[in-house]
Amino acid sequence: MIGREIRLFCPATIANVSCGFDVLGLCLDAVGDQMIVKTTAQKGVRISKITGQDLPLDPKQNVAGVAVLALLDEIEAPCGFEIKIHKNIKPGSGIGSSAASSSAAVFGVNHLLGNPFQPIDLVRFAMEGEALASGTPHADNVAPAIYGGFTLVRSTTPLDIVSIPTPAELVATVIHPQIELKTKDARAVLKQQIPLSNAITQWGNVGGLISSLFLGDYELLSRSLVDVVVEPHRALLIPGFDTFKHAALEAGALGSGISGSGPSIFALSKGLATAQKVAKSLELRAKELHLNCEIHISKINTQGIRILS
Ligand code: HSE
C-alpha cells in the first residue's frame, strides 16, 4: 500500500455558462494541471511540491490540502498522502484553478483508498477547497471536474448534482486576458436582490439551456446563452469584454459570456472549424486592444479528471 502513486490530469472548467450562476458548469479537455498523489507511511496529507505557480504548501492553506483533510475526517485511512502539483491554470483566471486542484486531490486519494466515496462525496470535500479560495463553497466548478461534461448543481444543501448530456459537436473557445480577478472580488460587485423580470428571463434561459443540451438543439442553446443577472455587473471588471463577446458572436459562436467569475471569456460553437474561427477573431481583437491574452480551444471533456498513469 505504501509508495503507490497515481498521476492525474486535473481539468479546467467553465462555471455559470452564462445564465446558470453558481449552478451550471462544464468541463474542458485541452486545459488543465497535473497532480501526483502518493500513499505514505506518515498519516495525514503533505503537499511536497508545487510548480508553475507560487501557492502555499501548508495543507490548511492550500485548497487541495483542505479538501483532502475534509475527506480524511470521514474515514480511518491506513496511510497518509503526499501530493505534488504542476499548475498550468493560473489562479484568478476564471477557469476553475482552485477546483482543478481540490477535486483532483480528493479523486486521487479516494482512488488510492479503493474508492470508498461516491462522486457526490468528492464534490462535498472539494467544496471545502472552494470555500478557502473564494469564501463561498460553490460547487459549479468542482462538480463538472469530478463528473465530466455539463453538470447542474440543483442544490447545495442537501447536495444534489445532475449530469447533463453534451451535444457531440460542441466546442469551447476561451480567451484569458492576462489579469488576475479574484472570485471574492467578482462576487462583491453582485447585487443581493434582482428584479422579478430579470429572474423570469434568467430561469427561462436556464431551462432552455438544459433542454437544448438534452435535445442536442444548437439553436435553442444559442438563444439560451444569455445572462441578465451577473454579466452586466461583472463585464465592467473585464478589459475588452464587449469587444470580445461581439467578435465571438460575429465569427459564428452560438453564444459567449464570462467564464466563471472572469476575467476569462468563453464562447461555445458548433464544430471545431467555427471554434477556430472564433479563436482567430478573438486573437485579432486582443492585438488591436494591446491586451496580452491566452486563447484555448477545447472540446467538452465528458470524463472529467483522468488517471494518466
Ligand atoms: N459561480 C462562481 C462565481 C464560479 O461566478 O462566482 C467561480 O469560478
Side-chain angles (χ1 to χ4, degrees):
M1 179 77 184
I2 308 301
R4 274 186 62 210
E5 69 171 44
I6 51 168
R7 209 158 53 85
L8 301 168
F9 171 70
C10 329
T13 43
I14 294 175
N16 303 338
V17 201
S18 287
C19 50
F21 177 68
D22 272 5
V23 299
L24 286 177
L26 67 85
C27 189
L28 292 172
D29 202 43
V31 200
D33 299 336
Q34 284 203 20
M35 179 179 286
I36 294 173
V37 187
K38 187 174 174 179
T39 54
T40 58
Q42 192 191 339
K43 295 277 181 91
V45 57
R46 191 167 79 89
I47 299 168
S48 59
K49 192 174 172 187
I50 301 175
T51 51
Q53 290 294 324
D54 188 19
L55 292 165
L57 292 174
D58 176 359
K60 290 203 176 85
Q61 301 301 321
N62 182 292
V63 297
V66 165
V68 172
L69 287 170
L71 181 155
L72 293 177
D73 256 359
E74 293 193 17
I75 194 166
E76 189 61 52
C79 59
F81 299 90
E82 179 191 342
I83 296 176
K84 292 180 186 163
I85 308 170
H86 178 70
K87 295 292 298 175
N88 290 311
I89 315 170
K90 292 195 180 92
S93 57
I95 48 173
S97 179
S98 54
S101 293
S102 60
S103 53
V106 292
F107 179 98
V109 166
N110 189 45
H111 179 85
L112 290 168
L113 287 171
N115 293 316
F117 293 106
Q118 296 301 310
I120 189 112
D121 301 312
L122 301 185
V123 170
R124 190 160 50 79
F125 302 136
M127 283 167 72
E128 296 296 324
E130 294 296 69
L132 175 72
S134 71
T136 319
H138 59 90
D140 50 344
N141 289 105
V142 295
I146 289 167
Y147 284 74
F150 281 81
T151 52
L152 167 71
V153 183
R154 208 238 5 119
S155 152
T156 51
T157 40
L159 195 57
D160 189 359
I161 310 285
V162 186
S163 270
I164 314 286
T166 302
E169 290 178 82
L170 213 54
V171 183
T173 308
V174 179
I175 179 162
H176 174 206
Q178 301 288 288
I179 57 160
E180 184 183 349
L181 182 50
K182 290 202 166 71
T183 297
K184 214 177 261 175
D185 299 336
R187 291 181 86 87
V189 303
L190 302 179
K191 300 251 179 300
Q192 291 305 310
Q193 263 87 39
I194 61 170
L196 182 61
S197 57
N198 281 355
I200 294 168
T201 304
Q202 198 84 352
W203 59 56
N205 284 323
V206 174
L209 180 53
I210 302 274
S211 305
S212 76
L213 296 169
F214 272 94
L215 295 168
D217 183 336
Y218 293 91
E219 281 173 13
L220 176 59
L221 187 144
S222 179
R223 296 198 297 280
S224 307
L225 279 175
V226 178
D227 172 13
V228 297
V229 172
V230 171
E231 187 178 294
H233 303 290
R234 285 185 171 170
L236 309 171
L237 306 174
I238 302 173
F241 176 77
D242 289 334
T243 307
F244 288 131
K245 179 173 173 168
H246 191 72
L249 296 176
E250 223 175 46
L254 297 165
S256 171
I258 301 170
S259 176
S261 55
S264 287
I265 299 156
F266 79 96
L268 290 179
S269 302
K270 185 179 180 187
L272 183 62
T274 307
Q276 284 166 336
K277 227 172 113 187
V278 169
K280 279 239 159 62
S281 169
L282 292 174
E283 195 183 346
L284 199 74
R285 296 303 154 92
K287 275 207 185 103
E288 283 167 9
L289 292 172
H290 304 288
L291 284 173
N292 191 15
C293 296
E294 246 175 36
I295 298 177
H296 308 284
I297 299 173
S298 172
K299 59 182 173 63
I300 314 303
N301 169 0
T302 53
Q303 186 186 350
I305 298 157
R306 261 199 308 274
I307 300 174
L308 300 173
S309 60

